[in-house]
Amino acid sequence: MKIIIPIKVFQKLRAYTTGTEFEISGLGKISFLNDEFTIEDIKIFKQTVGGAETTLDRRALGIFYDEIIQKEGDLSQWKLWWHSHAKMGTFFSSIDESTITDFDNETEKDNWLLSLVTNRKGDIKIRLDVFSPLRLT
């Protein structure tokens, strides 16, 4: 498995991460072909941020989901949750684990999520969670 982050997406991620002293988060669009995940785009939304947590605004997400469904027909490519740990290391905390679990859409087909954590230093850690038919990380 290979994960590709094109330079423009990487630059956007770095700008979001270094543009604040707090943790931030967002979603990303992914294409998958021949065992390669390519992160096509990332988005940032209205959210509550702090030194050790970030919570996306549900209303802002709802508006975004509606817009994507109208433009693209479905949300099936928006399977990246990315967030920063500001000045901390890159790891998946218990809060992150809970957030990842919240993305389980409880369907048998195409039920997975790619998660990325980064920090102001530029470290990155990525994981794949499959929710069905077996729960795997």
Side-chain angles (χ1 to χ4, degrees):
M1 180 171 69
K2 186 177 191 181
I3 299 168
I4 300 166
I5 306 174
I7 191 69
K8 288 189 183 224
V9 176
F10 181 76
Q11 289 171 333
K12 195 182 220 187
L13 179 66
R14 293 297 300 143
Y16 288 154
T17 303
T18 59
T20 179
E21 63 189 75
F22 301 108
E23 288 197 10
I24 58 167
S25 63
L27 299 179
K29 184 177 184 178
I30 298 176
S31 61
F32 179 71
L33 182 64
N34 299 326
D35 293 330
E36 290 185 357
F37 292 92
T38 301
I39 301 172
E40 304 287 345
D41 194 11
I42 61 169
K43 298 286 184 188
I44 194 168
F45 306 92
K46 180 179 177 183
Q47 57 195 273
T48 304
V49 299
E53 66 182 274
T54 171
T55 305
L56 296 174
D57 182 87
R58 292 191 184 273
R59 181 167 163 67
L61 278 177
I63 291 168
F64 171 73
Y65 289 153
D66 285 345
E67 289 172 357
I68 292 300
I69 289 171
Q70 288 177 20
K71 288 179 188 174
E72 300 177 19
D74 66 32
L75 299 168
S76 64
Q77 288 189 287
W78 290 88
K79 291 193 170 280
L80 172 72
W81 172 60
W82 67 268
H83 72 290
S84 75
H85 274 185
K87 294 180 182 177
M88 295 187 302
T90 54
F91 61 95
F92 290 95
S93 69
S94 59
I95 294 170
D96 298 339
E97 297 279 349
S98 178
T99 300
I100 289 166
T101 299
D102 287 345
F103 280 96
D104 180 355
N105 64 23
E106 299 178 6
T107 62
E108 292 290 322
K109 185 179 177 193
D110 202 29
N111 192 0
W112 56 272
L113 179 73
L114 199 65
S115 301
L116 181 151
V117 61
T118 188
N119 60 19
R120 292 176 59 87
K121 287 185 354 185
D123 300 329
I124 294 177
K125 187 168 282 202
I126 300 175
R127 71 185 248 180
L128 173 66
D129 285 88
V130 177
F131 299 109
S132 182
L134 297 172
R135 180 67 170 92
L136 302 170
T137 300

